[in-house]
Amino acid sequence: MPLYYQLKQLIMEKLKELPPLSPIPSERELCDTFGVSRPTVRRALEELENDGELVRLPGKGTFVAEKKYVDHAMQWSIGFYEDASMQNKAPTTKVLQQTIVPATAEIAKRLAVQQDSEVFVLERLRFVDGEPICLVTSYLPYALCTDLPKANFAEQSLYAFLKEYGIAIHRAKRSIEVKQANVTEAAYLSIEKDSPIVLFQSLGFMKDGTPFEYVRSRYPAYKARFENEVFQPAVESELP
């Protein structure tokens, strides 16, 4: 068994005794404690960071990582409640905005509607086990379902509600990027301004190809992880 791997297991045992975001000893201290070289310590720490057990904060040091919420939005067309519940976590939602507004040029272009036409806006703060994990804003053409403003989306999934009206995602275009949190995002997500956040964007299409939902979700970068499973398409055997 490689020495770095043995050291990794020893450090992991120590980490179990520490609360999230606790600082860990320096590389030199670990060298002295375990009687190993710095390259061995560095390799063990890199492995732990890759496994999500440690997090390095530039200029501050290395800390015990918080256990991240795993989001499967890149792979599945399921709602937040279903995804969190499948992970045995307690999801809750606070509705921040549920209204009808004129479509801006950007939203109109994404939803393929006329600028200034009525758009339903639903903004929610999502919690997992009591911790704010996602600030999500959804835009839908109001004409698609005029009952949207009446629903209680603090208790009900948007996708489940739409399904009752025969509306469902057939396909979606999705993207992920990292940006800095503005003042509003930082306040809602309980992080510092300019902290890194993951911006997840999705444009959902119905079966006939009509775009019906544009979503912007913001996650604290150190609290969430996205997972996706890729399948290799079947390849026809070559003819002799």
Side-chain angles (χ1 to χ4, degrees), residues 43-84:
R43 176 69 183 276
L45 295 180
E46 288 175 355
E47 291 277 325
L48 289 168
E49 185 178 7
N50 291 336
D51 291 345
E53 300 293 338
L54 297 177
V55 59
R56 294 178 189 266
L57 301 181
K60 296 183 179 180
T62 304
F63 301 83
V64 179
E66 294 184 290
K67 295 304 178 184
K68 294 186 177 183
Y69 168 67
V70 180
D71 195 295
H72 297 92
M74 288 296 291
Q75 179 174 347
W76 301 333
S77 295
I78 63 174
F80 169 77
Y81 274 87
E82 296 92 329
D83 199 357

Side-chain angles (χ1 to χ4, degrees), residues 103-118:
T104 63
E106 178 195 359
I107 300 301
K109 182 178 180 180
R110 291 183 183 274
L111 294 177
V113 298
Q114 293 292 323
Q115 186 174 343
D116 294 328
S117 62
E118 292 182 322

Side-chain angles (χ1 to χ4, degrees), residues 92-150:
T92 53
T93 294
K94 180 179 181 181
V95 176
L96 305 176
Q97 182 182 181
Q98 184 171 340
T99 188
I100 301 167
V101 300
T104 63
E106 178 195 359
I107 300 301
K109 182 178 180 180
R110 291 183 183 274
L111 294 177
V113 298
Q114 293 292 323
Q115 186 174 343
D116 294 328
S117 62
E118 292 182 322
V119 171
F120 174 73
V121 180
L122 177 62
E123 187 168 47
R124 293 163 290 175
L125 184 59
R126 322 305 293 263
F127 298 81
V128 170
D129 295 337
E131 292 291 324
I133 195 66
C134 179
L135 177 62
V136 54
T137 309
S138 304
Y139 303 87
L140 300 92
Y142 175 57
L144 184 71
C145 179
T146 55
D147 286 339
L148 281 164
K150 304 174 186 177

Side-chain angles (χ1 to χ4, degrees), residues 5-25 29-30 32-34 45 48 53-54 63-65 67:
Y5 187 83
Q6 297 178 50
L7 177 59
K8 175 184 173 181
Q9 299 304 311
L10 291 172
I11 295 176
M12 283 188 65
E13 288 301 314
K14 294 291 184 181
L15 295 182
K16 292 178 181 178
E17 304 171 3
L18 301 174
L21 298 182
S22 296
I24 69 165
E29 290 174 305
L30 291 172
D32 294 340
T33 299
F34 295 102
L45 295 180
L48 289 168
E53 300 293 338
L54 297 177
F63 301 83
V64 179
K67 295 304 178 184

